[in-house]
Amino acid sequence: PSRPRAPAHASAAAEGGGVRVRAHAKAHKSSGAGRALLEALRAAGCDAPGFCAQTVSEAEALAPLSEVLGAPVDVLVSNQTVGAGKVARLAALAADARMTLSACVDSLENARDVGAACEAAGATLDAVVEVDVGQRRCGTPTASAAADLAEAIAMGDVPGLRFKGLQCYHGGIQHVRGIA
């Protein structure tokens, strides 16, 4: 749906299902547009805790919104962050009092890189283990690999990270209009 109809559409789709809706920052990459969308979702009756960002730069663009909201901005970085520079920026956001941040990881190596950067920044990041559910694009390749990674984080074997949950996303089936 177009942006003006999206909040009402999301609210209707989630009604009665105990579903939380995260506004995605990919299109607007702006704290002003993000604020308007979040307010519209909440006004439409959605349980909208915050935002979903695909990249660190999208999450960074939302940080100033905390001043308007009077509270930290809740952001899930819904993709893995790789590369020393980007991981350091993710860790800095995790340490930023303006943010309540969580991010996806899909391997023990990635989790350790992110965890070490968070520790160096004096932060603990809520980690979401991404599971490949058939798209073969990102995520742990098997359910057992996801379980092993989740357990390692939950048991404290990856300092700097706290296990928050799982993400299972398949872009090719996101706009299915009915259930077979």
Side-chain angles (χ1 to χ4, degrees):
S2 66
R3 196 170 88 194
R5 293 184 308 152
H9 181 77
S11 181
E15 188 174 356
V19 176
R20 301 180 89 192
V21 177
R22 284 188 178 272
H24 207 304
K26 187 161 195 69
H28 57 76
K29 298 177 179 70
S30 152
S31 60
R35 174 187 178 194
L37 185 54
L38 188 62
E39 287 174 350
L41 284 167
R42 290 176 176 169
C46 288
D47 180 4
F51 298 92
C52 180
Q54 192 71 16
T55 65
V56 175
S57 61
E58 290 173 10
E60 289 168 333
L62 295 169
L65 187 53
S66 69
E67 296 163 15
V68 177
L69 296 175
V73 181
D74 185 333
V75 178
L76 164 65
V77 178
S78 61
N79 204 358
Q80 295 70 43
T81 303
V82 296
K86 290 178 184 176
V87 168
R89 287 171 43 215
L90 180 72
L93 278 180
D96 189 331
R98 299 175 299 167
M99 306 289 288
T100 299
L101 193 70
S102 52
C104 289
V105 294
D106 69 353
S107 71
L108 189 55
E109 178 185 6
N110 178 231
R112 286 183 174 147
D113 290 346
V114 171
C118 287
E119 270 205 307
T124 299
L125 176 70
D126 286 331
V128 177
V129 173
E130 183 159 11
V131 183
D132 180 355
V133 290
Q135 196 167 356
R136 301 184 203 286
R137 185 172 156 222
C138 53
T140 58
T142 65
S144 63
D148 291 346
L149 180 55
E151 182 177 22
I153 296 167
M155 298 303 293
D157 295 340
V158 185
L161 299 185
R162 176 178 38 242
F163 179 70
K164 183 174 185 178
L166 302 173
Q167 173 172 286
C168 303
Y169 174 77
H170 192 302
I173 61 171
Q174 68 180 339
H175 296 290
V176 173
R177 298 288 182 210
I179 298 175

